Every structure is written in C-alpha cells, then in structure tokens.
Amino acid sequence: MAMRPGVLPLLLLLSGPFMVVRVGGRDAETEPLLHKAIHGRHPHFDPARQDHEEPNIGALDVDTPTIDKNGNTIEEEVKEDDQQWDGVEQWDAGNDPFMRPDATILTKALQPGESPRNTEDDPVGKGVLTRRLEADVVVAGGGSAGSAAALAAARSGAKTVIIQGRGVLGGNMSSESKLHPVGADREGHRGVEWESEAREGGIIEEYTLQNSVDNPQRAASLHDLTLYDFFRERDNCTLLLNTWVIGATKVPSEDGKDWTVTEVLAENQEAQLQYIVTAKVFIDATGDGRLGAEADVPYIIGREGKDTFNESLADLHDDNETMGSSLAFTSKNYGRPMKFTPPRWATKYNDSDWEFRPIRSNNIDYGYWFIEVAWPYNMIRDNEMVRDRLMESVLGTWDYIKNSGKFPEAENLGLDWLEWWPCKREGRRFRGQYIMTQNDLLPDPFVEEENAHAPTFFWDRVSHAGWNLDLHAVKGVLDTAVPAYASYYIPYVYSTPLRSLVALNTTNVMLAGRLASFSHVVFGSQRVMKTCAAMGQATGTAAAYCALHDIEPWEIANHPDAVWSIQQQLLRDDQYIIGMYNQDPRDYARAARITASSEHSNATAKEVISGQTRAVDGRSGAAPEQRIDGTNRWISETVPAWLKFEWEHPIQDLALVELVFDTGMHRELTLTLKRSMWNRIVWGRPQPETVRDYSIEARLAAGADDQWRQVITVQGNFQRKRRHNVARQMAQIDPQKVGVESLRLVVSATNGIPHAHVFEIRVYGKDGLTPFPAKPQPQQQRPRRETKLWMR
C-alpha cells in the first residue's frame, strides 16, 4: 500500500554512525524521504554526484522489493505518486540542510572529554528510583502561598526544597486555571490615591509587576514563566515540579506530647522517581493539606456552628459542608458565525437559572466563578466527579449563551479554552496555635462603618488581609434558585498572627494559604490568592528564621524577640504589617538628617524611614489606632529631584541601599482574561507613578574633596522594591575608607507622572547583608542611633 503524502511527520534516517532527524516538512519532501528510508536511496538520487554517499540503513536496506497485499511493490507506487506531483519542486539532496554532508547532525560519538551517561547508579529497569535530598525548609505545594513561602525562605538564607504536584507554579492563577488573583484591595474597591492603598506587597507584587511589563499580551503561560524564572535564579532552592508529597515520617517530640516530622516522601510518576527529603521545618501549602494530614495535624472539613466560636455569621450547627470548586472557559471572536452543539450530557439551562448568577453581555469571553459545585461531594475524594459535574455546567452555560437567543453579540464567539483541573476553594483547614474567628475582624457585620470595631491587633501579626467575608452557597450551581454567595464588607484591613501559621500537634510543621488556622467564616476572606501569597511570604520567612536559629516553630511564640526579628525582616522585604514600623538598628537611614530638592507639604522627605510604605488613613484603610496617618512617602514638586541623607559620623562600611517606590497600590493590578476589567488596570507597561531612571551618589567625609561620586545608575526601572549592593563600588570610590558623609538619590525620570514618589530608603553596612536583625537591648544601642529619628 502506497504511503500518501504527509503521513510521516517525523522521519528518522539511520546511517552508519549518524542519526539524522527530520521533523515536519512539506508533503512533497516527506514521501521521497520515506522512499529513501525503505530502499536506501532517494528516488532522485544521482550516483554521479561526488558529495553523496549511499547510506547503509541496516535491516531496512533490502535487496528484494517490498510487496504490498496486492502484489505491487512500494517503489512502483511511490513512483506513480511522484508522477502526480505536477508543479511541485523536486527534492534536491544537495540543498537539503538535513542531508548535506557539511550540515550539523546528531552523532552517536561524544566529543573529547565528554563522559558517557552513567547508568550503573540509575537502573531504569528497576522502575522507581529513590533519591535523597536535605534542606533547611521544605515547602509542599507551589500555588500562590507555596511559591511565596519557598522564595521567602530561600531569600532569607535557608536551603529550600519546594515540591509542586503540577507541572507549573501558581496554582489557581497558573495557565491551568487562568483565575485572576485578588486580595485585600477588593479588586481596587478599597483604593483611594494617597489615602487607602491595600494591595499586597512583597513577592506577589514583585512578580505581578514583572509580568505586567513582560507579558502585555496577557498570556497565562508567561505568568507561569515569570514564577519559574524566579526559582531558576535561586541557587539555594530546589524546585520539584510534577511531584506530589505522598507521606511523612514523624517521631515523638522530646516530651512525647507532639510529633516531629523528620522527612517527607514525594513521588514523580513521570520520571519514576521517589524523593525522601529531610529538613528542619516543613510548610504545608498544598491547599487540601496532604502534608499536614500525614503529620497528624488536627483539621476540620466543613463549617463550625454558631456556638463553636460565638460567630454571628456561622451556621446554626456544625456540618460537613464546604465551598466548592469551579471550572472556567474563555472564548474568542473568530470574525464569522461560530456554531455550538453541546454534548448530550451538558446541563440544559433556562432564563430562570440566571436570576442570581447574571451573565452580562460585556463578560461572555471569560467565565464564571459561579460555575461552582460542592454538595453532595467530598471536595478531596470526589474531585473527578466534581470535574464532571462542572464540565456539564460549563458546556450548558455556553450552550445558553450561544443558542438561547439572548446574546446576539456571541454569534462570532467560539470556545478556545476549557479548564480541566477543578479550581478549588476549600478542603482541610488545620488547627494552629491560634484560630482566627469572625470576632477578630468583624464582630458585628451590620454595624455602621463609622462605628465599626478595630480588628484584633495581634502582637505577632505578620501579614494583612481585607477581602470581604465571602461565603458561598452550599450547593453552588446545582441549586440556582438561591444566591451564589453572601458577602460582608470589612471596614478595616486586618492582621494575620504568626500563631495561626504554626500547626498544632507537631513541633516543626507550619501552614500557608487557605488551609491555615481560621474558622470557616474567616476563611471566606483569607482564601483569596494575593492574601495567601502574603501569608506564604510570612510563613516562609518565619520558617527560615527557625531553621537558621535552631528554634522549632512550635516554640516561636515563646520567643518575642525572635518574632520581632521576623516582623522586621518582613517589613524590609516590603510586606505590609499593620501598625508595625521600621526599628532595624542596622539601618543607617534612621539616624540621618534628611532633606530634599523639593517636597509636598503632606509628603515630606523625612517620611521615607517610617517603615509604613503606604497610605492607609482613608476609608477602608487601617483602623485609626493601627496606623500612621498621611501619605508616608516623599513627593517632589518636579523631576529631576533629589533626596539627601547626611550623617554626623561618616559611614565606614556602606554596603547596601534599598528603595521602595510607588506602584499605584490604590489601583487594582492583576493578570486577568476578563476584558471588562482591563480598562481599570495598567498592564503592558510600567505603573506611571514608579520612578524609572535614578542614580545613587555619595559624598565622602571631610578631608576628601567635596564632589558627589556616582555609586550606581539605573534606567528603565518598573519595580517597587529595589536592592543595590554597593560594596564593590564603594571600595573603588573610597579606597582610603574615609567614610561616607552624605548619600543622595537623584531621580531623573518616572514612568509617567511629573513627580518623584519614594516610600522608603534604607542604608546598611556590611552587617545589613544578612537577614533578621537582632532586637537591641537598651545597653546594646549603637551610639549613632542616639541621633534624633526623623519620624512623623
């Protein structure tokens, strides 16, 4: 039987010691190559040409013709087909880059000095191979919380291993789900410029800003790449993708009352690898809580009754009901009518089904969070059945949009992506050293806003939140006769305590994300992805501290100075902690005299050292007793502009300068495929408030000349937090080590506005190159710290 053109897109030609790989190509080229593979020569092979060598292709090079079932030779049929290719350019082996003798080809021979693969220690024939890894911190889960936790731990100096079951990082905001992350800013609804800036900072802000510039086309896979690149840049963090935690080894603690996890077992089925990973601290950020369950951490699946925590929004009695999972879809305008015929098993909806779940004509290209399924399924065990019910609903929804006649604007729309991995909201919630309840943030959900109580001001607060108490219907889309959710506005942003991130029953397991220690009511606010990322950064930073200082996490609450050090490091890493201010004794900027070329009356130079790097005194900001009022930044009258720091005693060991710029945190910033949101998000370019071009200059102490020496110059900045290690530059500028008397930031351009906005400047010596300041005791205060601080 003749091989028709195009049936062999991948052709392997073996010739002596060489292997030539031919991929794709035109049909007219592919079939002659097939002929050559079978008969040892191309049908147009010219034996007179000296630059060809007839190959030996082993078992395929036969002396007798190959006969098909009709008695015809394949060679004859191929020749007949060749004669039918009128007008097709014939193949010329001499011009084919895959066949020229001078072409680069794959060879079986290694180059000199290259060692052959060692298979003695990796017997594939035995199946699963076990490998052992050691770390300071292990993070299970690579969603928004786990990614931030692992990056924070590694950046804080801990050797880290992150184990992620999926092939990409980011969880629900990855290309597998394409859900846009939201957080404390309530999709920008808390935001008022210069008054209320609630967006999460730190790591989640860093990679969102990076993605907003690198990914103007809003490709979800490029968001995956941004996160992946962050990990590729870390040499002290091992990333294990497609790998699931499947067990944990634990031993009794010294007092016999709790467990200590010594190692976790993880498996990559695709690579047939099993990992045994030992560590000092383990973080469960898996969402459903696989690691915590293996470690026997107490948990709940369901809702607590009113009497459990005296919560007014709780249901009357305890039950097993949870929020559900969702599947999303996207559609595309193809410029011509696109028909859609649903499968017979798709749900059939009518107009009444959308009374409480309105589908709007400006939002039929991306949907829908309310396609949610929970009851009667177990959200962990029944995940496959949940997916099936969700797919029935997704395709039934699209059938309604396309075929109900209600949406003529959908005529040219066609589905171009369906989510297949259920986007989960709730599974296990673990019990930690503290359980956050409704009374910590909104005791009376119906009180007038001006009479609202301030949220609990935890002494060990490490992150903030502010999404509404967003409680979904038990049956989701399986009961369209009731509203999809009930939402309760929280007047003030609130804090998350470190104790809610430390698991009970274990000495060294910590929690990050939606599985942390909250009641079901509080979970309704804490579960969103940007808030989970901030929580993850806090957990990862605290885990690193514990690992590096040989403190077990369950003991951390008994070490207030250690908690203070963790809080100060989080502030330094641009994590907003309500009512926490910069007290790092190593920061030279706190003892400087600060002046500027110009300044606004309510945004002065001296405000850049407080540590509260945002405004939160407006509506929906922080409670009055938990904030510094004002803009908390320096704003110049014009650009160019400069901000200068002067010291009475010269700095002899200047090594690090850290900056925090304005990135419009009153405004929503998120990667979303929902087009109706695009007009309120600055995407595809830097945020206009951000300083773009700047330099740092130093003036040496008296005795040297009075010139400003350029230390570092930056152009094209779009990030909020910038760190500059200037030790090498200072060694060149100040070889005699007379010291730096003055330092200034010179702003020459922004990304759009005519003023320079700077939230913070920190200046460190060599001791600032390491994380985690030690809390100074009164007798340990450095003399230079006795200078009056320029605090508001």
Side-chain angles (χ1 to χ4, degrees):
M1 183 184 302
M3 188 74 72
R4 302 301 305 169
V7 300
L8 194 61
L10 175 60
L11 183 62
L12 303 181
L13 303 181
L14 302 180
S15 177
F18 303 110
M19 179 177 72
V20 180
V21 180
R22 175 72 168 178
V23 180
R26 299 187 312 186
D27 291 344
E29 296 174 344
T30 304
E31 191 157 352
L33 286 173
L34 173 62
H35 185 286
K36 183 176 190 294
I38 297 175
H39 297 283
R41 65 174 66 213
H42 191 274
H44 306 293
F45 178 81
D46 181 2
R49 292 186 59 171
Q50 300 300 312
D51 58 348
H52 289 296
E53 178 180 335
E54 184 165 356
N56 171 17
I57 50 177
L60 291 178
D61 190 10
V62 293
D63 295 331
T64 57
T66 303
I67 307 297
D68 67 11
K69 65 180 180 180
N70 298 317
N72 300 316
T73 66
I74 292 180
E75 182 175 2
E76 291 173 354
E77 291 207 19
V78 171
K79 288 180 178 178
E80 290 175 2
D81 285 342
D82 273 351
Q83 295 170 2
Q84 298 175 13
W85 294 350
D86 295 335
V88 176
E89 180 182 354
Q90 298 299 307
W91 180 81
D92 183 355
N95 291 323
D96 192 305
F98 287 92
M99 300 304 297
R100 293 200 318 272
D102 61 338
T104 300
I105 56 179
L106 304 180
T107 177
K108 292 179 181 177
L110 297 175
Q111 298 299 318
E114 294 178 337
S115 301
R117 302 180 193 183
N118 179 11
T119 60
E120 294 180 3
D121 298 329
D122 189 1
V124 176
K126 288 190 176 182
V128 175
L129 182 72
T130 299
R131 291 180 177 172
R132 293 184 175 272
L133 299 173
E134 294 182 357
D136 296 315
V137 176
V138 167
V139 179
S144 62
S147 296
L151 284 170
R155 289 177 174 183
S156 297
K159 184 180 179 182
T160 305
V161 172
I162 177 172
I163 304 170
Q164 162 69 333
R166 314 299 299 189
V168 294
L169 295 161
N172 289 344
M173 63 180 169
S174 74
S175 60
E176 291 188 315
S177 288
K178 301 184 180 180
L179 180 66
H180 58 259
V182 297
D185 67 329
R186 297 176 53 245
E187 297 183 300
H189 295 301
R190 280 192 188 274
V192 180
E193 188 174 16
W194 295 14
E195 295 182 13
S196 296
E197 297 163 322
R199 202 167 78 210
E200 286 82 356
I203 290 172
I204 181 71
E205 174 77 356
E206 181 183 355
Y207 67 70
T208 302
L209 289 168
Q210 188 74 44
N211 195 240
S212 70
V213 172
D214 291 349
N215 184 19
Q217 65 270 44
R218 293 182 169 91
S221 291
L222 292 187
H223 181 276
D224 302 341
L225 177 61
T226 299
L227 260 180
Y228 175 73
D229 180 59
F230 273 39
F231 281 92
R232 288 293 301 267
E233 294 295 324
R234 301 299 315 177
D235 58 7
N236 65 334
C237 186
T238 299
L239 171 62
L240 301 179
L241 293 175
N242 300 301
T243 306
W244 295 89
V245 169
I246 60 172
T249 300
K250 54 188 183 296
V251 298
S253 60
E254 292 183 3
D255 61 8
K257 297 180 180 180
D258 297 288
W259 295 105
T260 296
V261 175
T262 58
E263 61 190 22
V264 294
L265 180 65
E267 194 165 287
N268 183 327
Q269 284 284 345
E270 185 177 21
Q272 300 178 37
L273 286 174
Q274 194 173 78
Y275 296 93
I276 297 175
V277 192
T278 61
K280 297 178 180 179
V281 182
F282 297 84
I283 298 173
D284 191 340
T286 59
D288 282 339
R290 179 63 187 274
L291 172 56
E294 295 289 341
D296 285 341
V297 178
Y299 64 87
I300 183 173
I301 296 180
R303 304 181 295 185
E304 301 88 356
K306 285 183 179 292
D307 293 341
T308 304
F309 299 120
N310 191 30
E311 295 176 304
S312 64
L313 295 177
D315 228 44
L316 189 60
H317 302 291
D318 295 353
D319 60 30
N320 299 320
E321 306 308 327
T322 65
M323 294 190 196
S325 299
S326 294
L327 287 182
F329 68 85
T330 62
S331 65
K332 179 181 177 181
N333 189 327
Y334 287 90
R336 65 182 188 278
M338 301 292 293
K339 295 185 180 300
F340 177 73
T341 302
R344 58 179 178 79
W345 42 261
T347 304
K348 191 66 178 177
Y349 291 113
N350 55 48
D351 294 351
S352 63
D353 290 312
W354 307 111
E355 178 182 358
F356 297 112
R357 295 161 177 81
I359 298 176
R360 297 180 174 87
S361 58
N362 68 339
N363 186 27
I364 54 178
D365 54 345
Y366 171 79
Y368 289 109
W369 66 264
F370 53 69
I371 300 177
E372 178 179 3
V373 169
W375 178 93
Y377 302 104
N378 181 300
M379 301 313 296
I380 297 175
R381 306 293 187 197
D382 298 333
N383 193 52
E384 297 295 294
M385 288 185 282
V386 170
R387 180 207 56 223
D388 293 344
R389 299 294 83 75
L390 285 169
M391 191 57 69
E392 294 165 6
S393 181
V394 166
L395 296 180
T397 302
W398 188 246
D399 176 37
Y400 178 79
I401 291 172
K402 289 290 293 183
N403 301 320
S404 68
K406 302 289 184 180
F407 301 96
E409 58 272 23
E411 182 180 12
N412 291 350
L413 296 182
L415 291 174
D416 70 340
W417 173 78
L418 290 171
E419 181 182 7
W420 287 92
W421 177 40
C423 188
K424 288 192 178 183
R425 289 181 177 84
E426 186 173 8
R428 296 180 181 92
R429 283 177 289 111
F430 290 110
R431 293 319 193 199
Q433 294 180 334
Y434 186 89
I435 302 172
M436 286 191 70
T437 72
Q438 176 192 336
N439 298 304
D440 286 317
L441 47 138
L442 189 64
D444 183 357
F446 305 107
V447 70
E448 294 293 332
E449 184 175 346
E450 59 270 18
N451 297 324
H453 291 282
T456 301
F457 200 49
F458 299 105
W459 70 272
D460 58 339
R461 58 199 182 277
V462 287
S463 67
H464 84 287
W467 186 255
N468 287 357
L469 290 173
D470 182 9
L471 307 175
H472 287 206
V474 169
K475 296 182 180 179
V477 78
L478 299 184
D479 183 2
T480 60
V482 300
Y485 71 103
S487 183
Y488 302 91
Y489 167 67
I490 303 171
Y492 300 120
V493 291
Y494 63 91
S495 300
T496 300
L498 181 59
R499 285 165 294 157
S500 289
L501 310 179
V502 179
L504 287 182
N505 278 24
T506 64
T507 65
N508 63 339
V509 174
M510 301 187 73
L511 310 169
R514 60 183 172 90
L515 50 66
S517 187
F518 318 120
S519 72
H520 176 81
V521 173
V522 173
F523 164 83
S525 173
Q526 288 273 14
R527 62 184 173 82
V528 292
M529 284 186 281
K530 285 197 172 187
T531 299
C532 287
M535 201 188 312
Q537 181 167 349
T539 304
T541 303
Y545 183 94
C546 291
L548 297 175
H549 293 82
D550 292 322
I551 296 177
E552 291 182 315
W554 73 327
E555 297 178 322
I556 195 69
N558 297 323
H559 295 268
D561 286 359
V563 173
W564 178 91
S565 182
I566 293 166
Q567 292 169 321
Q568 288 298 312
Q569 185 60 44
L570 284 166
L571 280 181
R572 183 179 176 182
D573 293 337
D574 195 33
Q575 178 95 314
Y576 173 50
I577 303 177
I578 298 170
M580 182 66 64
Y581 312 115
N582 179 15
Q583 296 175 314
D584 191 340
R586 304 170 300 174
D587 179 11
Y588 286 108
R590 296 176 61 235
R593 178 176 180 271
I594 308 172
T595 56
S597 56
S598 63
E599 59 185 21
H600 275 264
S601 59
N602 63 341
T604 61
K606 64 184 180 181
E607 298 185 47
V608 299
I609 59 172
S610 74
Q612 181 179 297
T613 56
R614 60 184 63 213
V616 289
D617 61 344
R619 182 179 183 271
S620 299
E625 59 269 38
Q626 299 178 5
R627 71 193 189 208
I628 296 175
D629 289 350
T631 65
N632 293 291
R633 79 204 78 191
W634 165 61
I635 300 177
S636 69
E637 294 285 353
T638 59
V639 171
W642 52 258
L643 187 64
K644 183 170 65 175
F645 294 74
E646 297 176 287
W647 292 274
E648 181 181 355
H649 304 289
I651 300 175
Q652 303 292 335
D653 61 343
L654 179 61
L656 191 66
V657 179
E658 299 185 355
L659 311 165
V660 176
F661 297 120
D662 191 349
T663 51
M665 298 191 81
H666 64 286
R667 197 169 46 241
E668 184 177 18
L669 183 64
T670 188
L671 173 63
T672 180
L673 302 183
K674 188 176 179 181
R675 292 176 180 270
S676 60
M677 295 171 59
W678 289 3
N679 64 343
R680 64 177 191 250
I681 297 173
V682 176
W683 195 267
R685 59 186 175 91
Q687 305 304 300
E689 299 90 346
T690 309
V691 168
R692 187 189 72 192
D693 303 333
Y694 63 91
S695 61
I696 296 172
E697 300 176 346
R699 188 166 60 191
L700 300 184
D705 58 64
D706 200 33
Q707 296 180 359
W708 285 102
R709 292 168 168 80
Q710 194 169 91
V711 180
I712 194 167
T713 299
V714 175
Q715 293 184 327
N717 172 63
F718 55 84
Q719 281 289 355
R720 172 176 162 89
K721 176 73 179 185
R722 296 301 306 264
R723 292 180 173 88
H724 298 293
N725 187 326
V726 297
R728 180 178 57 83
Q729 292 90 333
M730 290 309 305
Q732 297 173 347
I733 292 172
D734 186 18
Q736 304 300 320
K737 295 185 178 181
V738 300
V740 174
E741 180 182 77
S742 304
L743 195 73
R744 71 178 181 183
L745 169 72
V746 179
V747 177
S748 52
T750 72
N751 282 293
I753 64 172
H755 316 285
H757 288 204
V758 179
F759 277 112
E760 181 174 73
I761 297 183
R762 294 181 181 230
V763 181
Y764 289 97
K766 292 181 180 179
D767 59 354
L769 296 174
T770 58
F772 302 116
K775 186 174 184 179
Q777 304 304 316
Q779 66 274 18
Q780 295 176 335
Q781 292 282 353
R782 295 180 180 179
R784 68 170 184 261
R785 298 293 176 236
E786 295 174 1
T787 304
K788 179 180 178 181
L789 302 184
W790 293 83
M791 294 282 289
R792 299 181 69 250

